[in-house]
Short mmCIF file of all heavy atoms in Angstrom, two decimals:
data_model
loop_
_atom_site.label_atom_id
_atom_site.label_comp_id
_atom_site.label_asym_id
_atom_site.label_seq_id
_atom_site.Cartn_x
_atom_site.Cartn_y
_atom_site.Cartn_z
N THR A 349 -8.38 21.41 -0.05
CA THR A 349 -6.92 21.07 0.21
C THR A 349 -6.73 19.67 0.48
O THR A 349 -5.64 19.08 0.43
CB THR A 349 -6.35 21.87 1.38
OG1 THR A 349 -7.14 21.73 2.50
CG2 THR A 349 -6.34 23.41 0.98
N THR A 350 -7.82 18.91 0.84
CA THR A 350 -7.73 17.51 1.17
C THR A 350 -7.58 16.60 -0.06
O THR A 350 -7.06 15.53 -0.06
CB THR A 350 -8.96 16.98 2.02
OG1 THR A 350 -9.10 17.78 3.11
CG2 THR A 350 -8.84 15.59 2.36
N LEU A 351 -8.02 17.15 -1.22
CA LEU A 351 -8.20 16.32 -2.45
C LEU A 351 -6.82 15.75 -2.89
O LEU A 351 -6.70 14.54 -3.15
CB LEU A 351 -8.89 17.03 -3.52
CG LEU A 351 -10.44 17.30 -3.25
CD1 LEU A 351 -10.98 18.07 -4.42
CD2 LEU A 351 -11.18 15.97 -2.97
N GLU A 352 -5.91 16.65 -3.12
CA GLU A 352 -4.59 16.19 -3.76
C GLU A 352 -3.93 15.22 -2.89
O GLU A 352 -3.48 14.09 -3.34
CB GLU A 352 -3.64 17.39 -4.03
CG GLU A 352 -2.45 17.10 -4.82
CD GLU A 352 -1.33 16.43 -3.98
OE1 GLU A 352 -1.20 16.80 -2.74
OE2 GLU A 352 -0.57 15.59 -4.48
N PRO A 353 -3.82 15.48 -1.53
CA PRO A 353 -3.21 14.40 -0.64
C PRO A 353 -3.94 13.09 -0.64
O PRO A 353 -3.38 12.04 -0.58
CB PRO A 353 -3.16 15.07 0.74
CG PRO A 353 -3.27 16.54 0.44
CD PRO A 353 -4.03 16.69 -0.77
N THR A 354 -5.27 13.19 -0.58
CA THR A 354 -6.02 11.95 -0.64
C THR A 354 -5.81 11.09 -1.92
O THR A 354 -5.66 9.87 -1.86
CB THR A 354 -7.54 12.27 -0.49
OG1 THR A 354 -7.71 12.95 0.89
CG2 THR A 354 -8.47 10.99 -0.49
N MET A 355 -5.91 11.81 -3.10
CA MET A 355 -5.80 11.08 -4.36
C MET A 355 -4.33 10.48 -4.52
O MET A 355 -4.18 9.46 -5.06
CB MET A 355 -6.13 11.99 -5.43
CG MET A 355 -7.54 12.60 -5.46
SD MET A 355 -8.80 11.13 -5.28
CE MET A 355 -8.49 10.27 -6.80
N SER A 356 -3.36 11.21 -4.03
CA SER A 356 -1.99 10.72 -4.05
C SER A 356 -1.87 9.39 -3.26
O SER A 356 -1.19 8.56 -3.65
CB SER A 356 -1.00 11.80 -3.53
OG SER A 356 -0.97 12.86 -4.40
N LEU A 357 -2.54 9.42 -2.02
CA LEU A 357 -2.54 8.30 -1.17
C LEU A 357 -3.26 7.08 -1.91
O LEU A 357 -2.71 5.93 -1.77
CB LEU A 357 -3.16 8.56 0.16
CG LEU A 357 -3.29 7.50 1.14
CD1 LEU A 357 -1.95 6.90 1.54
CD2 LEU A 357 -4.11 7.95 2.39
N LEU A 358 -4.32 7.40 -2.39
CA LEU A 358 -5.12 6.29 -3.05
C LEU A 358 -4.28 5.68 -4.27
O LEU A 358 -4.40 4.46 -4.53
CB LEU A 358 -6.45 6.79 -3.69
CG LEU A 358 -7.56 7.09 -2.62
CD1 LEU A 358 -8.76 7.86 -3.11
CD2 LEU A 358 -8.02 5.85 -1.90
N ALA A 359 -3.51 6.51 -4.93
CA ALA A 359 -2.83 6.07 -6.13
C ALA A 359 -1.71 5.11 -5.64
O ALA A 359 -1.26 4.30 -6.44
CB ALA A 359 -2.15 7.32 -6.74
N GLU A 360 -1.29 5.16 -4.36
CA GLU A 360 -0.37 4.24 -3.85
C GLU A 360 -0.92 2.74 -3.88
O GLU A 360 -0.11 1.84 -4.06
CB GLU A 360 0.06 4.58 -2.48
CG GLU A 360 0.91 5.84 -2.39
CD GLU A 360 1.28 6.12 -0.95
OE1 GLU A 360 1.57 5.20 -0.15
OE2 GLU A 360 1.50 7.35 -0.66
N TYR A 361 -2.19 2.66 -3.78
CA TYR A 361 -2.75 1.36 -3.56
C TYR A 361 -3.56 0.96 -4.83
O TYR A 361 -4.02 -0.19 -5.07
CB TYR A 361 -3.67 1.32 -2.46
CG TYR A 361 -2.92 1.52 -1.13
CD1 TYR A 361 -2.99 2.78 -0.55
CD2 TYR A 361 -2.16 0.53 -0.51
CE1 TYR A 361 -2.26 3.03 0.67
CE2 TYR A 361 -1.52 0.72 0.66
CZ TYR A 361 -1.51 1.95 1.19
OH TYR A 361 -0.86 2.14 2.40
N GLN A 362 -3.93 1.95 -5.71
CA GLN A 362 -4.80 1.63 -6.79
C GLN A 362 -4.26 2.39 -8.04
O GLN A 362 -4.51 3.58 -8.35
CB GLN A 362 -6.18 2.27 -6.37
CG GLN A 362 -7.30 1.83 -7.28
CD GLN A 362 -8.63 2.27 -6.74
OE1 GLN A 362 -8.74 3.08 -5.85
NE2 GLN A 362 -9.73 1.69 -7.30
N ALA A 363 -3.53 1.71 -8.88
CA ALA A 363 -2.81 2.36 -9.94
C ALA A 363 -3.68 3.03 -10.89
O ALA A 363 -3.31 4.09 -11.57
CB ALA A 363 -2.03 1.30 -10.70
N GLU A 364 -5.00 2.53 -11.04
CA GLU A 364 -5.85 3.16 -12.01
C GLU A 364 -6.98 4.05 -11.19
O GLU A 364 -8.03 4.20 -11.70
CB GLU A 364 -6.61 2.19 -12.78
CG GLU A 364 -5.63 1.31 -13.60
CD GLU A 364 -6.40 0.24 -14.54
OE1 GLU A 364 -7.62 0.20 -14.39
OE2 GLU A 364 -5.64 -0.51 -15.21
N SER A 365 -6.47 4.60 -10.20
CA SER A 365 -7.54 5.38 -9.29
C SER A 365 -8.21 6.57 -10.10
O SER A 365 -9.33 6.76 -9.78
CB SER A 365 -6.81 5.86 -8.06
OG SER A 365 -5.77 6.78 -8.40
N GLU A 366 -7.42 7.24 -10.96
CA GLU A 366 -8.02 8.34 -11.61
C GLU A 366 -9.26 7.88 -12.56
O GLU A 366 -10.14 8.72 -12.81
CB GLU A 366 -6.95 8.96 -12.44
CG GLU A 366 -5.90 9.65 -11.64
CD GLU A 366 -4.91 10.49 -12.45
OE1 GLU A 366 -5.12 10.54 -13.77
OE2 GLU A 366 -4.07 11.04 -11.92
N THR A 367 -9.17 6.64 -13.10
CA THR A 367 -10.22 6.27 -13.98
C THR A 367 -11.40 5.57 -13.12
O THR A 367 -12.51 5.53 -13.56
CB THR A 367 -9.78 5.31 -14.99
OG1 THR A 367 -9.13 4.18 -14.42
CG2 THR A 367 -8.63 5.98 -15.92
N LEU A 368 -11.04 5.06 -11.97
CA LEU A 368 -12.03 4.28 -11.26
C LEU A 368 -12.71 5.15 -10.18
O LEU A 368 -13.67 4.76 -9.57
CB LEU A 368 -11.37 3.07 -10.46
CG LEU A 368 -10.71 2.12 -11.42
CD1 LEU A 368 -10.07 0.97 -10.57
CD2 LEU A 368 -11.87 1.28 -12.22
N THR A 369 -12.12 6.37 -9.93
CA THR A 369 -12.61 7.18 -8.83
C THR A 369 -13.14 8.52 -9.25
O THR A 369 -12.56 9.27 -10.10
CB THR A 369 -11.42 7.52 -7.83
OG1 THR A 369 -10.78 6.20 -7.45
CG2 THR A 369 -11.88 8.24 -6.61
N GLN A 370 -14.40 8.81 -8.67
CA GLN A 370 -14.96 10.14 -8.94
C GLN A 370 -14.73 10.94 -7.64
O GLN A 370 -14.69 10.37 -6.56
CB GLN A 370 -16.42 10.00 -9.12
CG GLN A 370 -16.76 9.33 -10.39
CD GLN A 370 -18.32 9.19 -10.62
OE1 GLN A 370 -19.07 8.97 -9.70
NE2 GLN A 370 -18.79 9.46 -11.84
N VAL A 371 -14.53 12.25 -7.82
CA VAL A 371 -14.13 13.16 -6.66
C VAL A 371 -15.08 14.32 -6.67
O VAL A 371 -15.35 14.90 -7.65
CB VAL A 371 -12.65 13.58 -6.80
CG1 VAL A 371 -12.29 14.51 -5.64
CG2 VAL A 371 -11.74 12.45 -6.92
N GLN A 372 -15.59 14.63 -5.42
CA GLN A 372 -16.42 15.83 -5.33
C GLN A 372 -16.10 16.53 -4.00
O GLN A 372 -15.89 15.90 -2.96
CB GLN A 372 -17.97 15.41 -5.26
CG GLN A 372 -18.50 14.73 -6.56
CD GLN A 372 -19.83 14.28 -6.44
OE1 GLN A 372 -20.45 14.28 -5.43
NE2 GLN A 372 -20.40 13.90 -7.56
N VAL A 373 -16.19 17.80 -4.05
CA VAL A 373 -16.12 18.69 -2.81
C VAL A 373 -17.55 19.09 -2.56
O VAL A 373 -18.30 19.56 -3.32
CB VAL A 373 -15.26 19.87 -3.04
CG1 VAL A 373 -15.35 20.83 -1.79
CG2 VAL A 373 -13.81 19.54 -3.35
N ILE A 374 -18.06 18.89 -1.32
CA ILE A 374 -19.34 19.19 -0.97
C ILE A 374 -19.48 20.70 -0.61
O ILE A 374 -18.99 21.16 0.42
CB ILE A 374 -19.80 18.37 0.29
CG1 ILE A 374 -19.65 16.82 -0.03
CG2 ILE A 374 -21.22 18.63 0.71
CD1 ILE A 374 -19.89 15.92 1.14
N GLU A 375 -20.13 21.31 -1.54
CA GLU A 375 -20.25 22.80 -1.45
C GLU A 375 -21.04 23.24 -0.17
O GLU A 375 -22.05 22.70 0.22
CB GLU A 375 -21.06 23.41 -2.66
CG GLU A 375 -20.38 23.13 -3.98
CD GLU A 375 -19.04 23.86 -4.07
OE1 GLU A 375 -18.87 24.97 -3.36
OE2 GLU A 375 -18.06 23.47 -4.81
N GLY A 376 -20.45 24.22 0.56
CA GLY A 376 -21.06 24.78 1.67
C GLY A 376 -20.87 24.04 2.96
O GLY A 376 -21.04 24.64 4.07
N ALA A 377 -20.35 22.80 2.91
CA ALA A 377 -20.13 22.07 4.16
C ALA A 377 -19.07 22.65 5.08
O ALA A 377 -19.39 22.84 6.27
CB ALA A 377 -19.78 20.57 3.79
N TRP A 378 -17.99 23.13 4.55
CA TRP A 378 -16.84 23.49 5.31
C TRP A 378 -17.19 24.86 6.12
O TRP A 378 -16.77 25.04 7.26
CB TRP A 378 -15.63 23.71 4.49
CG TRP A 378 -14.39 23.85 5.44
CD1 TRP A 378 -13.58 25.00 5.56
CD2 TRP A 378 -13.84 22.87 6.31
NE1 TRP A 378 -12.68 24.68 6.53
CE2 TRP A 378 -12.72 23.38 6.99
CE3 TRP A 378 -14.23 21.51 6.70
CZ2 TRP A 378 -11.98 22.70 7.96
CZ3 TRP A 378 -13.49 20.88 7.63
CH2 TRP A 378 -12.42 21.47 8.22
N GLN A 379 -17.99 25.64 5.45
CA GLN A 379 -18.45 26.94 6.19
C GLN A 379 -19.11 26.59 7.44
O GLN A 379 -19.00 27.31 8.49
CB GLN A 379 -19.27 27.73 5.21
CG GLN A 379 -19.44 29.13 5.80
CD GLN A 379 -18.20 29.90 6.14
OE1 GLN A 379 -17.28 30.07 5.33
NE2 GLN A 379 -18.07 30.46 7.39
N HIS A 380 -20.05 25.61 7.39
CA HIS A 380 -20.72 25.15 8.64
C HIS A 380 -19.75 24.78 9.73
O HIS A 380 -19.97 25.08 10.90
CB HIS A 380 -21.65 24.01 8.38
CG HIS A 380 -22.87 24.42 7.54
ND1 HIS A 380 -23.64 25.46 7.82
CD2 HIS A 380 -23.39 23.81 6.39
CE1 HIS A 380 -24.62 25.65 6.94
NE2 HIS A 380 -24.44 24.53 6.07
N TYR A 381 -18.62 24.07 9.28
CA TYR A 381 -17.69 23.67 10.26
C TYR A 381 -16.94 24.92 10.86
O TYR A 381 -16.79 24.99 12.13
CB TYR A 381 -16.63 22.71 9.62
CG TYR A 381 -15.78 22.04 10.66
CD1 TYR A 381 -16.01 20.70 11.06
CD2 TYR A 381 -14.63 22.57 11.20
CE1 TYR A 381 -15.25 20.10 12.06
CE2 TYR A 381 -13.88 22.08 12.11
CZ TYR A 381 -14.16 20.74 12.58
OH TYR A 381 -13.37 20.14 13.57
#
Side-chain angles (χ1 to χ4, degrees):
T349 57
T350 304
L351 291 180
E352 190 280 328
T354 298
M355 297 309 295
S356 295
L357 176 63
L358 288 170
E360 294 181 27
Y361 299 99
Q362 195 174 12
E364 299 180 0
S365 61
E366 291 186 1
T367 58
L368 297 175
T369 305
Q370 294 181 321
V371 182
Q372 294 177 353
V373 176
I374 301 175
E375 296 296 331
W378 192 244
Q379 188 58 51
H380 291 308
Y381 193 96

